[in-house]
């Protein structure tokens, strides 16, 4: 679990102040709280809060030398649906974000890459996520997927497919949509 100094807030400053942290569920990925809080009005109550327990996260914007994006078709338990998305994962203690991104790419797609570039680091919901762009080499071989993953297919998408993905219902992940729009602009 990542230990961060929690800012409890101040209801007198218009914030929702945490009076008592109340974890109700925790696993290796996340913790769910039902905190006792004080609202800006001075009323007290309960409020749900969610935190990630990973040290960081990684997103991989992977393209071939022609600029075609590589996506994987994944079943997400949270949404109970299949969809196309970028390779991504939780960080691992002892690995740099770039090493972890390369590991996720290899595990989920079977590819390795060159010319790794950090696009942006994003801080959201107590998790720093590092977004990398990479040019793919030939497949490294078999994937090494974790037992908890439900990946059905990995493929490249041509320019003609990108608008269908962007405006259709096969992609719901915001980072994947951003990546696809970026690829469409580059291929146009």
């Amino acid at each position: 679990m990542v230990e961060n100094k929690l800012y409890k807030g101040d209801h007198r400053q218009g914030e929702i102040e945490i009076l008592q942290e109340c974890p109700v569920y925790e696993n290796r990925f996340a913790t769910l709280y039902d905190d006792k809080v004080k609202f800006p009005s001075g009323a007290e109550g309960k409020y749900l809060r969610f935190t990630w327990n990973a040290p960081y996260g990684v997103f991989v914007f992977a393209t071939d030398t022609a600029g075609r994006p590589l996506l994987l078709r994944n079943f997400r338990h949270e949404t109970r649906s299949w969809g196309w998305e970028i390779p991504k994962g939780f960080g691992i203690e002892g690995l740099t974000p770039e090493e972890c991104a390369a590991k996720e790419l290899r595990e989920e797609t079977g590819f390795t890459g060159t010319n790794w570039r950090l696009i942006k680091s994003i801080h959201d919901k107590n998790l720093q996520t590092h977004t990398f762009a990479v040019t793919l080499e030939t497949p490294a071989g078999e994937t090494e997927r974790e037992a908890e993953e439900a990946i059905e297919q990995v493929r490249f998408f041509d320019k003609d497919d990108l608008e269908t993905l962007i405006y259709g219902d096969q992609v719901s992940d915001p980072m994947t949509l951003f990546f696809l729009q970026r690829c469409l602009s580059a291929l146009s």
Side-chain angles (χ1 to χ4, degrees), residues 94-115:
L95 291 182
T96 66
E98 185 175 323
E99 291 169 336
C100 184
K103 181 183 99 38
E104 287 293 331
L105 178 66
R106 186 180 59 257
E107 281 179 0
E108 294 181 352
T109 71
F111 279 88
T112 58
T114 60
N115 195 23

Side-chain angles (χ1 to χ4, degrees), residues 33-108:
Y33 297 85
D34 192 16
D35 294 333
K36 182 178 177 188
V37 299
K38 186 176 274 193
F39 297 100
S41 67
E44 292 185 11
K46 303 284 265 176
Y47 216 116
L48 285 176
R49 182 169 55 93
F50 174 90
T51 61
W52 292 108
N53 292 336
Y56 58 87
V58 293
F59 295 140
V60 182
F61 291 175
T63 57
D64 64 8
T65 55
R68 297 181 312 153
L70 180 73
L71 300 178
L72 49 101
R73 186 164 155 76
N74 194 14
F75 185 82
R76 286 289 172 195
H77 175 68
E78 179 182 13
T79 61
R80 308 300 304 151
S81 63
W82 289 96
W84 290 101
E85 59 186 46
I86 58 176
K88 55 187 166 183
F90 291 111
I92 298 172
E93 293 289 341
L95 291 182
T96 66
E98 185 175 323
E99 291 169 336
C100 184
K103 181 183 99 38
E104 287 293 331
L105 178 66
R106 186 180 59 257
E107 281 179 0
E108 294 181 352

Side-chain angles (χ1 to χ4, degrees), residues 1-2 4 6 29-33 48-57 59 78 90 121-129 173-174:
M1 180 176 187
V2 178
N4 291 325
L6 176 69
F29 299 111
T31 303
L32 179 65
Y33 297 85
L48 285 176
R49 182 169 55 93
F50 174 90
T51 61
W52 292 108
N53 292 336
Y56 58 87
F59 295 140
E78 179 182 13
F90 291 111
S121 294
I122 304 162
H123 184 79
D124 182 42
K125 292 185 184 176
N126 295 17
L127 184 72
Q128 187 83 11
T129 303
D173 173 58

Side-chain angles (χ1 to χ4, degrees), residues 7-11 14-18 37-40 47:
Y7 174 66
K8 300 235 180 181
D10 184 342
H11 74 281
E15 302 168 344
I16 299 171
E17 182 177 342
I18 296 174
V37 299
K38 186 176 274 193
F39 297 100
Y47 216 116

